[in-house]
Amino acid sequence: MKILKSKIKLFFLSLLPAFILLSCENDTTDVGADLIPGKLEGRNTFVDLVAYNVYNNDTIRADYNTLGSGLIGVYEDNTFGKSKASFAIQVRLSVSDEIKGKIQKVDSVILSINPSFNAYSYKERKIVLNPGSSSGIDTIKYVKKYTLASFLGKSGNAMAVDVNRINTFLESTSSKFYSSKTIDIGDKLGTAVLGDSLTSISVRTSEGTVITEPTTAGYRIKLDPDYFKEHFFGKKGSADISDNSRFIQYFKGIKIHPIDENSKFMFNFPVNKMTLVAYYKYKENPSDSYTTATYSFSMNSAYNSVVGEYNFYHRNSASSQFKEQMNNPDKQNGESVLFLQGMGGPSIHIKLNDSQLEAIRDSIQNHNWAITGAKLKFYLTENVSSKPDYIYGYNYTQKKFLPDLTYYSAIAGYFFNPKYDFDSNPQYYTLNITKQVKDIVEKNKPNDEILVEMGNFISRSTNSNQYLGYTRTTRAYEPFRLTFYGNKNSGDKKLRLEILYTKN
């Protein structure tokens, strides 16, 4: 009966705003220091845990089924070492365009990559195009440079990349590829120097009349028009470009990769916004005038196979502590520092203390406790400038979502995997595992082990609360790297489970 009353009480308490709950915290008691339930009089308490790194051999599934975004760049630091990311994609024939005319002249071929950017973070420069106009109305070009949303590196850098035709057949979208795969390159199609920001240009008069709308902020890489004239337009009518089954064997695709091995930056970009467009002129007879046209290759359909190729340079320049923990993790006692990295880098393994959870269970059953929250706080060892929005965890023992993700509702208020607070609370990331802990101490469910990784779960496009699965995450294309305080520390930044509760 006491348990039933506690659950009813918990339901109503969970509706209280978080600030009311926190305002009544007047004491902090460490369960690990004293397991006597009668002495647990505070409004929050802590449960110890063991946390250590899981080395993933620097490889991860990086194909159509895992890469919602591509990743490109080179970055090095003194902790994780150097890593390099390249991206390859299958090019397919247009779904609506055809090669027109008997004679073609290719003016330009443009590969567009459109990374996400912060629309509110930009620098604007105004250039007056016709100063001194007798009308008194100037024509002004506005140049806006936007900050990349997913960017790892120092601002001010520029990075040279090549685009090559590939020799490796990328098979189909159902094929499994891992990031350690080497994509063999063939002819170079183009090169570009990418800056650390995205530019959009518009032209208006000083009176506000729009002359040209703002261009899409992104990277536009010019490819060799003569190459496409010879190897694509010049093959009109041939079997090689008669249908996609032949074309993907003939042309195969392209690879975008850094050509400077020095540390620059990394960024990711949505694959479904990539375009490859050829601008050309055509005519039927030599005496005719040319007519302009475009040919848009298929780059983001449900059939374009993709591969992310990552090189960690065998971690040669990583710190000695990093190398030691990757090779010999302390699975019995945990670690003082924990490493977390996207791209298939290390994950974090967590096991909560069984005996301390048993003490919590006893307090619920015999001392009128009602748990109102349970969360893991991962304190950063340094406040690096480039950080991901999320980290996530899942049930490693049973290979499934934690119940806090599937159980979440507006009434229950379990807020799993909150977004990192860059402004108000920049010291730590939080994972709320209230339902997971309540199931253990109230329903005698097993104390399953948790795996924490970089990124976030991917939700269905039609419903942000429906997730594709515990393995469908952004981890494969997150460029970031973080270090946290582990469980072998003292003080407030020690990694442990914080439990919020009420008591009669």
Side-chain angles (χ1 to χ4, degrees):
M1 183 61 70
K2 287 183 178 180
I3 296 176
L4 178 60
K5 289 181 179 179
S6 296
K7 288 184 176 180
I8 294 173
K9 184 183 300 181
L10 172 59
F11 172 77
F12 289 104
L13 285 169
S14 65
L15 300 178
L16 293 175
F19 73 90
I20 295 177
L21 173 63
L22 296 175
S23 67
C24 67
E25 292 182 11
N26 54 26
D27 189 21
T28 300
T29 308
D30 193 335
V31 179
D34 190 348
L35 295 178
I36 302 174
K39 292 187 178 181
L40 297 177
E41 300 295 333
R43 298 304 184 195
N44 66 332
T45 189
F46 294 92
V47 170
D48 289 325
L49 53 84
V50 171
Y52 59 88
N53 274 120
V54 176
Y55 189 46
N56 297 301
N57 296 313
D58 288 336
T59 188
I60 191 173
R61 275 280 300 272
D63 51 40
Y64 176 85
N65 287 286
T66 58
L67 293 181
S69 292
L71 182 64
I72 297 173
V74 179
Y75 186 78
E76 182 176 17
D77 63 32
N78 295 327
T79 301
F80 291 82
K82 181 191 287 189
S83 53
K84 176 182 177 180
S86 304
F87 178 77
I89 182 169
Q90 196 175 66
V91 175
R92 302 175 74 88
L93 297 170
S94 173
V95 296
S96 58
D97 297 336
E98 61 179 0
I99 301 175
K100 297 178 180 180
K102 294 180 180 179
I103 303 170
Q104 300 87 24
K105 179 180 180 182
V106 183
D107 295 323
S108 62
V109 180
I110 304 297
L111 171 66
S112 295
I113 303 173
N114 297 288
S116 300
F117 60 89
N118 187 341
Y120 301 100
S121 177
Y122 63 86
K123 294 180 180 179
E124 185 177 64
R125 186 163 60 100
K126 299 178 182 179
I127 303 172
V128 179
L129 300 180
N130 59 341
S133 172
S134 59
S135 67
I137 301 175
D138 291 331
T139 301
I140 304 172
K141 180 166 73 172
Y142 295 84
V143 181
K144 287 185 177 181
K145 289 187 176 294
Y146 292 93
T147 302
L148 287 167
S150 182
F151 176 85
L152 174 66
K154 295 181 179 179
S155 60
N157 277 335
M159 177 173 60
V161 299
D162 273 352
V163 179
N164 287 75
R165 181 174 175 174
I166 61 175
N167 297 325
T168 302
F169 180 47
L170 299 188
E171 301 174 20
S172 72
T173 54
S174 61
S175 302
K176 289 184 178 181
F177 294 112
Y178 288 82
S179 58
S180 56
K181 183 176 180 61
T182 299
I183 305 299
D184 185 41
I185 59 174
D187 299 327
K188 185 167 77 170
L189 304 178
T191 189
V193 177
L194 308 181
D196 64 344
S197 59
L198 302 178
T199 301
S200 174
I201 298 174
S202 62
V203 179
R204 302 195 304 270
T205 69
S206 55
E207 289 186 332
T209 301
V210 176
I211 298 176
T212 61
E213 295 288 348
T215 58
T216 301
Y219 298 123
R220 289 167 56 85
I221 303 175
K222 296 180 179 180
L223 305 187
D224 185 356
D226 294 333
Y227 190 92
F228 280 84
K229 172 63 174 71
E230 178 182 354
H231 296 275
F232 179 69
F233 289 91
K235 294 184 72 67
K236 180 181 178 180
S238 73
D240 288 335
I241 65 171
S242 60
D243 57 50
N244 271 314
S245 63
R246 292 178 172 85
F247 183 67
I248 61 175
Q249 293 279 358
Y250 162 65
F251 191 79
K252 296 183 175 64
I254 60 173
K255 177 177 173 178
I256 312 161
H257 57 107
I259 55 177
D260 187 345
E261 298 297 316
N262 294 317
S263 179
K264 297 295 183 181
F265 58 84
M266 283 187 172
F267 68 95
N268 64 36
F269 55 93
V271 175
N272 63 6
K273 291 185 179 181
M274 293 182 71
T275 62
L276 178 61
V277 181
Y279 299 86
Y280 71 103
K281 301 172 184 177
Y282 71 91
K283 57 185 178 180
E284 296 296 332
N285 301 296
S287 60
D288 294 340
S289 298
Y290 278 109
T291 301
T292 59
T294 60
Y295 188 96
S296 298
F297 293 91
S298 176
M299 293 288 284
N300 49 33
S301 74
Y303 304 102
N304 291 79
S305 179
V306 299
V307 177
E309 181 184 342
Y310 307 150
N311 189 326
F312 289 87
Y313 296 92
H314 306 293
R315 298 288 189 183
N316 292 335
S317 57
S319 70
S320 58
Q321 183 179 16
F322 177 93
K323 295 175 183 177
E324 174 62 25
Q325 288 184 205
M326 295 306 108
N327 294 326
N328 300 293
D330 190 342
K331 298 182 179 181
Q332 298 299 318
N333 304 302
E335 304 286 3
S336 59
V337 175
L338 297 167
F339 303 93
L340 191 65
Q341 185 179 21
M343 303 170 58
S347 310
I348 298 173
H349 188 106
I350 291 177
K351 181 67 165 67
L352 302 176
N353 185 285
D354 287 311
S355 60
Q356 294 179 17
L357 288 176
E358 182 60 37
I360 299 295
R361 179 183 291 112
D362 180 73
S363 295
I364 291 171
Q365 295 175 349
N366 301 310
H367 298 276
N368 298 323
W369 276 36
I371 293 178
T372 59
K375 52 190 174 182
L376 296 165
K377 286 184 179 179
F378 296 82
Y379 282 90
L380 296 162
T381 62
E382 57 178 335
N383 190 19
V384 293
S385 58
S386 298
K387 295 184 286 292
D389 288 338
Y390 295 95
I391 64 174
Y392 69 95
Y394 63 90
N395 187 317
Y396 178 76
T397 305
Q398 299 186 42
K399 302 294 188 295
K400 66 179 185 180
F401 287 127
L402 290 170
D404 292 82
L405 187 69
T406 56
Y407 188 79
Y408 172 76
S409 71
I411 294 178
Y414 300 128
F415 228 127
F416 176 77
N417 195 27
K419 188 175 182 179
Y420 176 76
D421 191 339
F422 284 87
D423 299 318
S424 303
N425 231 339
Q427 293 183 314
Y428 59 83
Y429 285 79
T430 302
L431 290 184
N432 288 311
I433 56 171
T434 304
K435 185 67 168 58
Q436 170 80 357
V437 173
K438 284 171 63 63
D439 283 352
I440 295 171
V441 298
E442 294 177 1
K443 299 181 180 180
N444 293 318
K445 290 194 174 182
N447 177 21
D448 290 333
E449 299 174 17
I450 297 171
L451 198 67
V452 177
E453 296 185 323
M454 178 80 69
N456 195 15
F457 296 110
I458 299 174
S459 61
R460 299 184 186 278
S461 58
T462 55
N463 190 330
S464 60
N465 290 326
Q466 291 183 1
Y467 296 92
L468 298 177
Y470 82 95
T471 61
R472 297 298 301 275
T473 71
T474 64
R475 175 178 166 232
Y477 48 88
E478 293 284 1
F480 304 104
R481 44 191 73 185
L482 300 171
T483 56
F484 299 111
Y485 289 100
N487 64 285
K488 288 172 63 175
N489 290 284
S490 58
D492 294 339
K493 294 184 178 180
K494 173 182 178 179
L495 178 60
R496 50 188 177 170
L497 173 69
E498 181 180 9
I499 293 181
L500 306 178
Y501 68 96
T502 60
K503 177 182 177 183
N504 280 343

